[in-house]
Amino acid sequence: MITERALPQPRFDVLVQGKGPALLLAHGAGGGIQGNFGLVLDDLSRDHTVIGPHYPGAGGTPVATEPLQLDELADQLVASAVAEGHDSFTVLGESLGTTVAVRAATRHPERVTALVLTAGFAAADPVLALAAQLIQTLASANEWSAVARLACLSCLSPTHLAEISPADLEAMVAQTQAGMPPGTVDHFDLVSRADVRGDLASVTVPTLVVAPTGDRLVLPDSSRRLAAGIAGAKLVDLPGAAHILSEADRAIWLRLVREFLGTLPQRSA
C-alpha cells in the first residue's frame, strides 16, 4: 500500500503553457526552463500542459538562504504541478534535473507516472565533481567571466567551438555570463552532493534515458549507469550531442520523447 506523502506549500516561480496531460520539467544547474527546454516548449504544449518550476535563484524564485536539499526540490516540483490541478504527470529532467526527477518519483510514486532523463547522473562522477567545485570556487572569487568560459568549454561540442570566430566566441561567453541565474553557485553545490543511487531500484515507472555521447560535463557513462539502475529503462544515445543540445539535436530529442510518450497509457488532462 502506497501512502501519499504530504506536499509543501508551493513557492517556486512556475512557467505553465499548453493544455492536456501534464509534463513536469526539472531543469539543470545554472539554467532555467527556457534555457533547458525553450526550443521544445511550443511543440510539447500543443497537446500537453507543460509545467516548469524554477529552483531557488532561477527564474522568479528567490535565492535560497540555506543550502539546497534534493528532497525539498523534489517536493516543491511535485507541489507546483499539483497546484496547477494535475494529480499525476511525466517528469522530464535534464542534468541536475534528472536527480530531482528520480527523487520525485521515489517520494511521490502515486503521482509520477513516467520519467525522461537527459544528460543525467545518479551521483557526480569525478569530471562533473571537479567542474562543480571549480565553478563554485571561481564564482566565490567573483570570476564570473571565467565561469562562463568554463561553461562554454564544457557544455558545447568541440565541433561547434572549432567553427565559431573569436569575436562570436567572446559574444557567446558574454551571453552565457548574462544568462547565469543568481542561484548558480547553490545549484552546483547541490550537484556536488546529490546522490540518488539508492533510489534507482525503487523506480518502477516507464523511463527513457537519453545520453548525449559528446557531453563533456556529464559523461555519457553517467547516463548509462542511471539507465542500468532502473529496471526496464530504455537507453538511447544521442550521437555527438553536447551537454547543451543544439537545435538539430534537440529536434531528435523531441522525436524520441514524443515516441516514448506515445507508448504510455493515455491520461486525461
Side-chain angles (χ1 to χ4, degrees), residues 156-159 211-215 237-243 245-246 249:
L156 300 176
S157 71
T159 300
T213 65
D215 195 336
D237 285 347
L238 206 54
H243 190 69
L245 300 183
S246 67
D249 288 327

Side-chain angles (χ1 to χ4, degrees), residues 10 14 22 24 51 53 76-89:
V14 183
L24 180 57
I51 302 168
Q76 281 290 333
L77 201 77
V78 170
S80 296
V82 172
E84 294 296 330
H86 296 271
D87 293 329
S88 61
F89 28 78

Side-chain angles (χ1 to χ4, degrees), residues 123-137:
D125 65 25
V127 170
L128 179 57
L130 286 170
Q133 183 181 39
L134 184 54
I135 287 170
Q136 293 174 77
T137 299

Side-chain angles (χ1 to χ4, degrees), residues 39-127:
L39 291 175
V40 295
L41 286 176
D42 288 344
D43 187 286
L44 291 174
S45 63
R46 288 190 293 108
D47 47 10
H48 290 83
T49 301
V50 178
I51 302 168
H54 291 93
Y55 308 151
T61 305
V63 174
T65 57
E66 298 180 354
L68 300 180
Q69 301 300 325
L70 193 60
D71 285 356
E72 184 179 0
L73 260 61
D75 290 353
Q76 281 290 333
L77 201 77
V78 170
S80 296
V82 172
E84 294 296 330
H86 296 271
D87 293 329
S88 61
F89 28 78
T90 295
V91 185
L92 281 62
E94 299 209 357
S95 195
L96 173 62
T98 63
T99 67
V100 180
V102 168
R103 184 57 54 84
T106 56
R107 285 178 66 81
H108 304 279
E110 76 286 354
R111 297 194 183 279
V112 176
T113 58
L115 295 172
V116 176
L117 309 174
T118 304
F121 60 95
D125 65 25
V127 170

